[in-house]
């Protein structure tokens, strides 16, 4: 049966509408597919930019060792942090020295170059490695140094000897200070340092000579930014007996002992350092032994008092 013009027109309009609808639907689907593809790529890109880094969980002073208890891991957008932010792997590579089989050979201490505030993202420029822990390093307490009024645990100092004539020598350098704390009460006159065998012997000589020379001063002075400032070169030379002891002591690191002996063997150094000290010792020779004995008694008394404070802080009766 033949269709009238009105029917054909309606059918054509319907087919055209369907075609337009399909075309629009296809365009919408294509648009949605493109948007979904773009969104997926953006998500993949954002995921690829995520980086797990170390964030400082508490304030860290300049020169203070950076240990795991002072850090937390945090996953952040890598585009919002410095390119040299340290990941877990990065920090492990700086602290753990491995052999070709992946076995740990030694651990290296990492310290902060600057003061780091809580929440800081740790970067490679903020830290420095100080070397492995030496076998002859010991924690030693001293109570005969003149201590700055605002010295606190964690600061770095040089120990210096000043003679009555104004000559001033560095005995040991760049030492991190710990001040004994007895249940919140800090020691007034005692500090502890990590020192090597050579430094123990050198300090012992300087202490005795300071005791013998009336008007001399054994004191410490602070570094301003110890994480950035290189350690000073010691300028004090111990006496001949101590040098001979250092030379024979198997516990002294040979390289350091040889460097000190070589420093002493230089005529200019020996004249500049030892001559003024020897002259001061000669001038005080009459009372030198008595001065040393009295100072030693005072040192022992201080040590006993500090020990008593520590024992009392434990809560017992001694």
């Amino acid at each position: 049966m033949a269709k009238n013009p009105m029917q054909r027109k309606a059918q054509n309009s319907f087919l055209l509408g369907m075609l337009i609808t399909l075309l629009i639907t296809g365009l919408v689907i294509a648009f949605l597919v493109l948007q979904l593809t773009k969104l997926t790529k953006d998500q993949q890109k954002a995921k690829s930019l995520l980086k797990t880094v170390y964030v400082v969980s508490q304030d860290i002073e300049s020169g203070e060792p950076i240990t795991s208890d002072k850090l937390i891991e945090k996953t952040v957008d890598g585009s919002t942090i410095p390119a040299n932010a340290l990941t877990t792997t990065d920090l492990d590579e700086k602290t753990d020295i491995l052999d070709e089989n992946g076995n740990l050979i030694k651990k290296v201490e990492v310290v902060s170059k600057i003061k780091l505030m809580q929440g800081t993202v740790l970067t490679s420029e903020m830290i420095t490695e100080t070397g492995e822990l030496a076998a002859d390093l010991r924690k030693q307490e001293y109570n005969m140094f003149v201590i700055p009024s605002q010295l606190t645990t964690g600061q770095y100092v040089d120990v210096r000897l000043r003679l009555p004539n104004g000559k001033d020598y560095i005995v040991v350098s760049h030492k991190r200070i710990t001040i004994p704390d007895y249940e919140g009460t800090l020691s007034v006159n005692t500090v502890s340092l990590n020192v090597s065998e050579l430094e123990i012997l050198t300090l012992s000589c300087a202490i005795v000579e300071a005791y013998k020379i009336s008007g001399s001063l054994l004191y410490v002075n602070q570094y301003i930014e110890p994480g950035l400032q290189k350690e000073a070169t010691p300028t004090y030379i111990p006496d001949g007996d101590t040098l001979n002891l250092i030379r024979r002591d198997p516990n002294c690191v040979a390289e350091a002992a040889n460097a000190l002996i070589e420093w002493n063997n230089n005529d200019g150094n020996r004249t500049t350092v030892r001559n003024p000290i020897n002259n001061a010792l000669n001038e005080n020779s009459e009372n030198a032994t008595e001065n040393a004995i009295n100072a030693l008694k005072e040192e022992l008394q201080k040590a006993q008092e500090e020990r008593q404070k520590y024992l009392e802080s434990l809560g017992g009766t001694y």
Side-chain angles (χ1 to χ4, degrees), residues 134-146:
D136 66 338
L137 208 61
R138 298 292 185 271
K139 185 175 182 179
Q140 187 88 4
E141 284 192 347
Y142 296 97
N143 58 34
M144 68 294 298
F145 302 153
V146 176

Side-chain angles (χ1 to χ4, degrees), residues 114-130:
I114 56 176
K115 182 172 182 177
L116 300 176
M117 306 302 292
Q118 182 179 357
T120 302
V121 175
L122 198 64
T123 70
S124 57
E125 292 183 350
M126 297 175 180
I127 65 173
T128 183
E129 301 97 67
T130 61

Side-chain angles (χ1 to χ4, degrees), residues 79 102 107 160 167 186 197 239 277 290 295 302:
S79 64
K107 293 189 75 68
R160 306 182 68 110
K167 296 286 185 181
L186 295 176
E197 180 72 10
D239 62 19
I277 296 175
E290 183 180 354
K302 289 179 181 177

Side-chain angles (χ1 to χ4, degrees), residues 144-194:
M144 68 294 298
F145 302 153
V146 176
I147 303 172
S149 59
Q150 298 183 22
L151 186 68
T152 59
T153 290
Q155 294 180 318
Y156 281 71
V157 302
D158 291 340
V159 180
R160 306 182 68 110
L161 172 63
R162 186 167 73 214
L163 301 181
N165 60 11
K167 296 286 185 181
D168 198 302
Y169 307 103
I170 300 173
V171 184
V172 296
S173 68
H174 209 263
K175 292 299 174 184
R176 188 172 186 269
I177 284 286
T178 300
I179 299 178
D181 185 338
Y182 312 115
E183 292 189 329
T185 301
L186 295 176
S187 172
V188 175
N189 52 41
T190 299
V191 298
S192 67
L193 315 173
N194 291 337

Side-chain angles (χ1 to χ4, degrees), residues 10-11 19 38 41-42 51 60 73 123 139-140 145 161 163 170 185 192 197 204 206 258 263 293 308-309 313:
Q11 185 178 27
L19 181 62
K38 182 177 182 300
K41 288 182 178 179
D42 290 344
K51 195 172 183 180
I60 299 177
E73 289 183 324
T123 70
K139 185 175 182 179
Q140 187 88 4
F145 302 153
L161 172 63
L163 301 181
I170 300 173
T185 301
S192 67
E197 180 72 10
S204 295
N258 291 336
W263 174 268
I293 292 174
Q308 184 64 31
K309 289 179 184 177
S313 73

Side-chain angles (χ1 to χ4, degrees), residues 11 18 25 44-46 48 66 75 77 80 96-97 99 114-115 134 163 201 214 221 227 246 263 267-268 271 286 313:
Q11 185 178 27
M18 286 292 294
T25 302
Q44 291 175 340
K45 182 179 179 180
S48 68
I66 296 177
T75 301
D77 182 352
T80 64
D96 297 342
I97 308 301
D99 63 16
I114 56 176
K115 182 172 182 177
L163 301 181
L201 297 177
S214 181
N221 63 350
I246 290 172
W263 174 268
D267 290 338
T271 299
E286 184 177 346
S313 73

